[in-house]
Amino acid sequence: MEHIVCAQCGATNRLPDGRDALAGKCGSCGQPLFGDGPAEVTGQNLNRQIKRSSLPILVDVWAPWCGPCRIMGPQFEAAAKQAQPEMRFLKLNSDQNQEFSSRNGIRGIPTMILFDKGMEVGRVSGAMSSTDILAWARAQFPV
């Protein structure tokens, strides 16, 4: 049984083994559990995702003024389309979530952090292609 946290409302959803997670909807708000790409989250929602999800979580910490972040954005989205639902892809705006960025030692952006079972298992900074994003994530945690 998978536990998937809704990126919209933060409710934890149980998904039985064998069910298509891409077709799943939140039992609380009715929104799809996975959209077309990575979901934008707040620091509070991200903390809930990290603590309660049974899926690995790959977070892109970015800012709208950051040139490399804007270049990597479409690449992160392409990687999400290839890898979800085996891994959850989320985006966190560092300007709007400075407390999370500070507490997690974000020194440069874009930074990707991979979490599994509530623990950070990998971190990398700098823009990457979708192929490199997936290769890096899978090397950190074979999914």
Side-chain angles (χ1 to χ4, degrees):
M1 169 123 3
E2 296 283 344
H3 290 90
I4 301 172
V5 178
C6 178
Q8 305 302 314
C9 72
T12 303
N13 294 269
R14 291 179 294 157
L15 190 69
D17 294 334
R19 295 264 326 261
D20 182 12
L22 291 176
K25 293 188 177 191
C26 177
S28 182
C29 71
Q31 295 296 311
L33 293 175
F34 291 93
D36 291 338
E40 185 77 34
V41 293
T42 64
Q44 182 179 14
N45 191 309
L46 179 56
N47 286 330
R48 191 174 184 96
Q49 292 275 349
I50 293 166
K51 290 177 184 173
R52 296 190 176 183
S53 180
S54 59
L55 299 176
I57 310 263
L58 184 58
V59 182
D60 173 22
V61 182
W62 70 288
W65 50 263
C66 169
C69 296
R70 290 195 312 263
I71 290 169
M72 192 175 91
Q75 297 299 312
F76 193 74
E77 186 171 329
K81 288 179 181 178
Q82 292 177 37
Q84 289 188 139
E86 65 186 87
M87 173 183 324
R88 167 75 89 181
F89 283 68
L90 301 171
K91 294 182 72 66
L92 180 85
N93 183 325
S94 63
D95 284 349
Q96 295 175 350
N97 297 279
Q98 292 179 9
E99 181 182 328
F100 179 90
S101 297
S102 175
R103 190 172 11 123
N104 285 279
I106 303 299
R107 306 254 186 276
I109 51 175
T111 292
M112 287 187 298
I113 307 173
L114 183 62
F115 295 93
D116 184 47
K117 297 178 180 72
M119 304 296 294
E120 180 177 328
V121 295
R123 179 184 295 224
V124 66
S125 294
M128 300 170 87
S129 69
S130 62
T131 303
D132 290 339
I133 291 168
L134 291 174
W136 175 81
R138 289 179 172 140
Q140 304 308 306
F141 179 80
V143 290

mmCIF file with all atom_site columns, all heavy atoms in Angstrom, residues 4 17 40 61 71 88 104 113 116 126 131 142-143:
data_model
loop_
_atom_site.group_PDB
_atom_site.id
_atom_site.type_symbol
_atom_site.label_atom_id
_atom_site.label_alt_id
_atom_site.label_comp_id
_atom_site.label_asym_id
_atom_site.label_entity_id
_atom_site.label_seq_id
_atom_site.pdbx_PDB_ins_code
_atom_site.Cartn_x
_atom_site.Cartn_y
_atom_site.Cartn_z
_atom_site.occupancy
_atom_site.B_iso_or_equiv
_atom_site.pdbx_formal_charge
_atom_site.auth_seq_id
_atom_site.auth_comp_id
_atom_site.auth_asym_id
_atom_site.auth_atom_id
_atom_site.pdbx_PDB_model_num
ATOM 1   N N   . ILE A 1 4   ? 0.279  8.479  -0.476  1.00 0.00 ? 4   ILE A N   1
ATOM 2   C CA  . ILE A 1 4   ? 0.567  9.609  -1.354  1.00 0.00 ? 4   ILE A CA  1
ATOM 3   C C   . ILE A 1 4   ? -0.110 10.842 -0.783  1.00 0.00 ? 4   ILE A C   1
ATOM 4   O O   . ILE A 1 4   ? -1.323 10.856 -0.563  1.00 0.00 ? 4   ILE A O   1
ATOM 5   C CB  . ILE A 1 4   ? 0.086  9.331  -2.789  1.00 0.00 ? 4   ILE A CB  1
ATOM 6   C CG1 . ILE A 1 4   ? 0.776  8.071  -3.327  1.00 0.00 ? 4   ILE A CG1 1
ATOM 7   C CG2 . ILE A 1 4   ? 0.354  10.530 -3.688  1.00 0.00 ? 4   ILE A CG2 1
ATOM 8   C CD1 . ILE A 1 4   ? 0.247  7.588  -4.652  1.00 0.00 ? 4   ILE A CD1 1
ATOM 9   N N   . ASP A 1 17  ? -1.807 -1.501 -3.548  1.00 0.00 ? 17  ASP A N   1
ATOM 10  C CA  . ASP A 1 17  ? -0.868 -2.018 -4.533  1.00 0.00 ? 17  ASP A CA  1
ATOM 11  C C   . ASP A 1 17  ? -1.631 -2.439 -5.788  1.00 0.00 ? 17  ASP A C   1
ATOM 12  O O   . ASP A 1 17  ? -2.724 -2.989 -5.704  1.00 0.00 ? 17  ASP A O   1
ATOM 13  C CB  . ASP A 1 17  ? -0.099 -3.211 -3.970  1.00 0.00 ? 17  ASP A CB  1
ATOM 14  C CG  . ASP A 1 17  ? 0.814  -2.810 -2.828  1.00 0.00 ? 17  ASP A CG  1
ATOM 15  O OD1 . ASP A 1 17  ? 1.239  -1.637 -2.783  1.00 0.00 ? 17  ASP A OD1 1
ATOM 16  O OD2 . ASP A 1 17  ? 1.109  -3.681 -1.989  1.00 0.00 ? 17  ASP A OD2 1
ATOM 17  N N   . GLU A 1 40  ? 3.752  22.675 -7.494  1.00 0.00 ? 40  GLU A N   1
ATOM 18  C CA  . GLU A 1 40  ? 4.350  23.746 -6.695  1.00 0.00 ? 40  GLU A CA  1
ATOM 19  C C   . GLU A 1 40  ? 3.821  23.592 -5.273  1.00 0.00 ? 40  GLU A C   1
ATOM 20  O O   . GLU A 1 40  ? 2.618  23.444 -5.068  1.00 0.00 ? 40  GLU A O   1
ATOM 21  C CB  . GLU A 1 40  ? 3.950  25.101 -7.270  1.00 0.00 ? 40  GLU A CB  1
ATOM 22  C CG  . GLU A 1 40  ? 4.603  26.271 -6.603  1.00 0.00 ? 40  GLU A CG  1
ATOM 23  C CD  . GLU A 1 40  ? 6.055  26.479 -7.016  1.00 0.00 ? 40  GLU A CD  1
ATOM 24  O OE1 . GLU A 1 40  ? 6.405  26.203 -8.167  1.00 0.00 ? 40  GLU A OE1 1
ATOM 25  O OE2 . GLU A 1 40  ? 6.820  26.926 -6.148  1.00 0.00 ? 40  GLU A OE2 1
ATOM 26  N N   . VAL A 1 61  ? 14.343 23.280 -5.691  1.00 0.00 ? 61  VAL A N   1
ATOM 27  C CA  . VAL A 1 61  ? 14.278 24.563 -4.989  1.00 0.00 ? 61  VAL A CA  1
ATOM 28  C C   . VAL A 1 61  ? 14.767 25.611 -5.990  1.00 0.00 ? 61  VAL A C   1
ATOM 29  O O   . VAL A 1 61  ? 15.895 25.530 -6.480  1.00 0.00 ? 61  VAL A O   1
ATOM 30  C CB  . VAL A 1 61  ? 15.145 24.552 -3.713  1.00 0.00 ? 61  VAL A CB  1
ATOM 31  C CG1 . VAL A 1 61  ? 15.009 25.881 -2.985  1.00 0.00 ? 61  VAL A CG1 1
ATOM 32  C CG2 . VAL A 1 61  ? 14.739 23.390 -2.799  1.00 0.00 ? 61  VAL A CG2 1
ATOM 33  N N   . ILE A 1 71  ? 15.869 27.936 -16.901 1.00 0.00 ? 71  ILE A N   1
ATOM 34  C CA  . ILE A 1 71  ? 16.342 27.003 -17.929 1.00 0.00 ? 71  ILE A CA  1
ATOM 35  C C   . ILE A 1 71  ? 16.028 25.567 -17.518 1.00 0.00 ? 71  ILE A C   1
ATOM 36  O O   . ILE A 1 71  ? 15.611 24.756 -18.338 1.00 0.00 ? 71  ILE A O   1
ATOM 37  C CB  . ILE A 1 71  ? 17.860 27.190 -18.173 1.00 0.00 ? 71  ILE A CB  1
ATOM 38  C CG1 . ILE A 1 71  ? 18.107 28.533 -18.860 1.00 0.00 ? 71  ILE A CG1 1
ATOM 39  C CG2 . ILE A 1 71  ? 18.436 26.037 -18.984 1.00 0.00 ? 71  ILE A CG2 1
ATOM 40  C CD1 . ILE A 1 71  ? 19.559 28.958 -18.915 1.00 0.00 ? 71  ILE A CD1 1
ATOM 41  N N   . ARG A 1 88  ? 7.844  11.229 -6.605  1.00 0.00 ? 88  ARG A N   1
ATOM 42  C CA  . ARG A 1 88  ? 7.067  12.479 -6.605  1.00 0.00 ? 88  ARG A CA  1
ATOM 43  C C   . ARG A 1 88  ? 8.017  13.633 -6.917  1.00 0.00 ? 88  ARG A C   1
ATOM 44  O O   . ARG A 1 88  ? 9.070  13.755 -6.314  1.00 0.00 ? 88  ARG A O   1
ATOM 45  C CB  . ARG A 1 88  ? 6.410  12.670 -5.247  1.00 0.00 ? 88  ARG A CB  1
ATOM 46  C CG  . ARG A 1 88  ? 5.841  14.030 -4.997  1.00 0.00 ? 88  ARG A CG  1
ATOM 47  C CD  . ARG A 1 88  ? 4.566  14.269 -5.718  1.00 0.00 ? 88  ARG A CD  1
ATOM 48  N NE  . ARG A 1 88  ? 3.451  13.844 -4.904  1.00 0.00 ? 88  ARG A NE  1
ATOM 49  C CZ  . ARG A 1 88  ? 2.210  13.936 -5.318  1.00 0.00 ? 88  ARG A CZ  1
ATOM 50  N NH1 . ARG A 1 88  ? 1.919  14.420 -6.490  1.00 0.00 ? 88  ARG A NH1 1
ATOM 51  N NH2 . ARG A 1 88  ? 1.244  13.539 -4.549  1.00 0.00 ? 88  ARG A NH2 1
ATOM 52  N N   . ASN A 1 104 ? 17.072 24.196 5.692   1.00 0.00 ? 104 ASN A N   1
ATOM 53  C CA  . ASN A 1 104 ? 17.653 23.077 4.945   1.00 0.00 ? 104 ASN A CA  1
ATOM 54  C C   . ASN A 1 104 ? 18.970 23.433 4.260   1.00 0.00 ? 104 ASN A C   1
ATOM 55  O O   . ASN A 1 104 ? 19.452 22.671 3.425   1.00 0.00 ? 104 ASN A O   1
ATOM 56  C CB  . ASN A 1 104 ? 16.634 22.546 3.934   1.00 0.00 ? 104 ASN A CB  1
ATOM 57  C CG  . ASN A 1 104 ? 15.560 21.752 4.621   1.00 0.00 ? 104 ASN A CG  1
ATOM 58  O OD1 . ASN A 1 104 ? 15.752 20.591 4.943   1.00 0.00 ? 104 ASN A OD1 1
ATOM 59  N ND2 . ASN A 1 104 ? 14.426 22.389 4.899   1.00 0.00 ? 104 ASN A ND2 1
ATOM 60  N N   . ILE A 1 113 ? 16.803 18.274 -4.055  1.00 0.00 ? 113 ILE A N   1
ATOM 61  C CA  . ILE A 1 113 ? 16.985 17.437 -2.872  1.00 0.00 ? 113 ILE A CA  1
ATOM 62  C C   . ILE A 1 113 ? 16.080 16.223 -3.017  1.00 0.00 ? 113 ILE A C   1
ATOM 63  O O   . ILE A 1 113 ? 14.896 16.355 -3.320  1.00 0.00 ? 113 ILE A O   1
ATOM 64  C CB  . ILE A 1 113 ? 16.619 18.189 -1.573  1.00 0.00 ? 113 ILE A CB  1
ATOM 65  C CG1 . ILE A 1 113 ? 17.354 19.520 -1.476  1.00 0.00 ? 113 ILE A CG1 1
ATOM 66  C CG2 . ILE A 1 113 ? 16.930 17.313 -0.361  1.00 0.00 ? 113 ILE A CG2 1
ATOM 67  C CD1 . ILE A 1 113 ? 16.908 20.384 -0.313  1.00 0.00 ? 113 ILE A CD1 1
ATOM 68  N N   . ASP A 1 116 ? 13.638 10.305 1.030   1.00 0.00 ? 116 ASP A N   1
ATOM 69  C CA  . ASP A 1 116 ? 12.987 9.001  1.076   1.00 0.00 ? 116 ASP A CA  1
ATOM 70  C C   . ASP A 1 116 ? 12.741 8.645  2.534   1.00 0.00 ? 116 ASP A C   1
ATOM 71  O O   . ASP A 1 116 ? 13.666 8.732  3.357   1.00 0.00 ? 116 ASP A O   1
ATOM 72  C CB  . ASP A 1 116 ? 13.850 7.931  0.404   1.00 0.00 ? 116 ASP A CB  1
ATOM 73  C CG  . ASP A 1 116 ? 13.140 6.589  0.361   1.00 0.00 ? 116 ASP A CG  1
ATOM 74  O OD1 . ASP A 1 116 ? 11.956 6.556  -0.027  1.00 0.00 ? 116 ASP A OD1 1
ATOM 75  O OD2 . ASP A 1 116 ? 13.763 5.574  0.729   1.00 0.00 ? 116 ASP A OD2 1
ATOM 76  N N   . GLY A 1 126 ? 22.699 23.231 -9.345  1.00 0.00 ? 126 GLY A N   1
ATOM 77  C CA  . GLY A 1 126 ? 23.019 23.557 -10.731 1.00 0.00 ? 126 GLY A CA  1
ATOM 78  C C   . GLY A 1 126 ? 21.998 22.994 -11.692 1.00 0.00 ? 126 GLY A C   1
ATOM 79  O O   . GLY A 1 126 ? 21.334 21.999 -11.406 1.00 0.00 ? 126 GLY A O   1
ATOM 80  N N   . THR A 1 131 ? 17.491 14.124 -18.690 1.00 0.00 ? 131 THR A N   1
ATOM 81  C CA  . THR A 1 131 ? 18.219 12.849 -18.643 1.00 0.00 ? 131 THR A CA  1
ATOM 82  C C   . THR A 1 131 ? 19.155 12.815 -17.447 1.00 0.00 ? 131 THR A C   1
ATOM 83  O O   . THR A 1 131 ? 19.221 11.816 -16.722 1.00 0.00 ? 131 THR A O   1
ATOM 84  C CB  . THR A 1 131 ? 19.017 12.645 -19.949 1.00 0.00 ? 131 THR A CB  1
ATOM 85  O OG1 . THR A 1 131 ? 18.112 12.706 -21.054 1.00 0.00 ? 131 THR A OG1 1
ATOM 86  C CG2 . THR A 1 131 ? 19.748 11.319 -19.954 1.00 0.00 ? 131 THR A CG2 1
ATOM 87  N N   . PRO A 1 142 ? 17.826 3.833  -6.021  1.00 0.00 ? 142 PRO A N   1
ATOM 88  C CA  . PRO A 1 142 ? 17.319 3.025  -7.120  1.00 0.00 ? 142 PRO A CA  1
ATOM 89  C C   . PRO A 1 142 ? 15.836 2.716  -6.955  1.00 0.00 ? 142 PRO A C   1
ATOM 90  O O   . PRO A 1 142 ? 15.450 2.037  -6.026  1.00 0.00 ? 142 PRO A O   1
ATOM 91  C CB  . PRO A 1 142 ? 18.154 1.744  -7.071  1.00 0.00 ? 142 PRO A CB  1
ATOM 92  C CG  . PRO A 1 142 ? 18.782 1.723  -5.716  1.00 0.00 ? 142 PRO A CG  1
ATOM 93  C CD  . PRO A 1 142 ? 18.765 3.124  -5.184  1.00 0.00 ? 142 PRO A CD  1
ATOM 94  N N   . VAL A 1 143 ? 15.032 3.309  -7.844  1.00 0.00 ? 143 VAL A N   1
ATOM 95  C CA  . VAL A 1 143 ? 13.570 3.102  -7.779  1.00 0.00 ? 143 VAL A CA  1
ATOM 96  C C   . VAL A 1 143 ? 13.095 2.144  -8.819  1.00 0.00 ? 143 VAL A C   1
ATOM 97  O O   . VAL A 1 143 ? 13.758 1.850  -9.753  1.00 0.00 ? 143 VAL A O   1
ATOM 98  C CB  . VAL A 1 143 ? 12.812 4.439  -7.920  1.00 0.00 ? 143 VAL A CB  1
ATOM 99  C CG1 . VAL A 1 143 ? 13.004 5.275  -6.692  1.00 0.00 ? 143 VAL A CG1 1
ATOM 100 C CG2 . VAL A 1 143 ? 13.225 5.191  -9.142  1.00 0.00 ? 143 VAL A CG2 1
#
